[in-house]
């Protein structure tokens, strides 16, 4: 059994053909504790002036932050994903319900553009996040580091 099919965490598109997708394609390092819960994703951007495919790595905390920001997104507000470790994707919801998308990959590309997605796009993205978490749930359980306690009856020898 192989990995599941890719899941679009973000899918913003409009009637003009402009689009921005964050397509999660799998785990970064399946089976390796330190990288298993890191997800690989492609950021696909297509506008009248740009056609780009960039890599993004998502941690579980990125997904939690995205969920929180999406829940509170109102006109004039921002949401983003990427956490400052490389590529960052920002979304600003404008008063007219259009969305300004900012893509900043320090090594390759910085751009912004506007998209006018469907009215229910925020609810759609909540469903997308739920689907992603079902397809690629967090599986790594980290234990706390071992704590050594000092007690008065334990004597140190020199």
């Amino acid at each position: 059994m192989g990995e599941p099919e890719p899941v679009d965490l973000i899918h913003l598109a409009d009637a003009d053909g402009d689009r921005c997708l964050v397509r999660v394609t799998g785990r970064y390092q399946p089976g390796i504790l330190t990288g298993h819960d890191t997800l690989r994703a492609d950021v696909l951007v297509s506008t009248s002036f740009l056609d780009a495919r960039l890599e993004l790595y998502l941690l579980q905390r990125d997904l939690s932050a995205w969920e929180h920001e999406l829940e509170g997104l109102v006109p004039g507000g921002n949401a983003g994903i990427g956490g400052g470790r490389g590529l960052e994707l920002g979304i600003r919801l404008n008063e007219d319900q259009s969305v300004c998308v900012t893509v900043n990959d320090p090594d390759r590309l910085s751009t912004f553009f506007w998209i006018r997605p469907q009215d229910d796009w925020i609810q759609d993205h909540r469903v997308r996040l739920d689907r992603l978490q079902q397809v690629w749930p967090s599986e790594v359980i980290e234990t706390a580091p071992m704590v050594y306690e000092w007690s008065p009856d334990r004597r140190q020898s020199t």
Side-chain angles (χ1 to χ4, degrees), residues 19-22 43-47 49-50 52-56 81 86-91 100-106 108-113 115:
R19 70 181 181 128
C20 178
L21 284 83
V22 174
V43 176
L44 306 166
V45 177
S46 181
T47 68
F49 61 90
L50 176 66
R53 179 185 167 273
L54 303 164
E55 292 179 335
L56 176 65
I81 200 156
L87 186 141
E88 290 185 63
L89 181 77
I91 295 173
C100 178
V101 178
T102 304
V103 179
N104 183 22
D105 184 340
R108 295 183 230 161
L109 170 75
S110 289
T111 191
F112 66 93
F113 52 94
I115 290 180

